[in-house]
Amino acid sequence: MTTDQRKKGPLREFIIRNANQRHFNRQARVHRAGEKLDHVYLLEDGWLARIRTDRDGSAAFTAMYIAGDVIGADALSGYAIVDDLIALTNVRVARVPLTALRARAATDASLALDLAGLLAKETIFLREALFAVGRQPSDARLCTFFVQTFHRLVAAGLADPAATSFDLPLTQADLATATGLTSVHVSRVLRRLREWEWLQFHNGTVHLLNTEALLRHAHVASEIR
């Protein structure tokens, strides 16, 4: 499913009208950490992740993107982007120069408001993620990740609210990177969730076996749209 199924708004409409398209294969680096980010991207198809890697080689997802998400607007702050932007699947993106977006936002109040809303939602999501990593036990943390991802797909029009499964093109190692757990720990938690008949994750598909139990166990204070 693609961004065409999502309500666009002034920011996305501006990008679509003025962008050039790029395609990247799975595992390709769309942006290298530390390099100047000159463009803002609209993910039109596929999945992307921002990944930060420490000196010792340990890595963490700092964001995960689905079709319709705008990426790189925080570069308007002038700060360097210290994360790699990696394609989790084959992806298609539309991109516009950062300078063009900055100039348009200075004269278009509706676009500037849309941009502010995007940055506010990213801040809310980061607060949720900080709470999950800092306070939640491993099983609740994974439940939160799965529920949040499903909510985002539903809000984007990429999944049916009544669906009992959804695609999630991640490996168990990716889940560990996304949630701050080890791969061994993720494997144990997934086994417990399967034994409890709450959820099953197999070959990139999440099967929701007991949505009520997942919602009780997860911490999703804000529905990110």
Side-chain angles (χ1 to χ4, degrees), residues 21 25 36 48 54 66 76 88 120 140 149 161 221-222 225:
Q21 283 189 341
N25 294 328
K36 184 178 180 182
L48 284 165
D54 204 350
I66 62 176
L76 290 166
L88 299 174
T149 302
S222 304
R225 296 183 186 277

Side-chain angles (χ1 to χ4, degrees), residues 66-85:
I66 62 176
D69 283 343
V70 175
I71 306 162
D74 51 327
L76 290 166
S77 66
Y79 289 99
I81 304 300
V82 295
D83 310 317
D84 288 312
L85 186 59

Side-chain angles (χ1 to χ4, degrees), residues 110-132:
S110 62
L111 186 146
L113 186 61
D114 202 13
L115 183 59
L118 167 70
L119 296 174
K121 289 172 185 176
E122 289 187 352
T123 300
I124 293 170
F125 184 82
L126 286 173
R127 287 174 181 161
E128 297 263 341
L130 282 171
F131 179 84

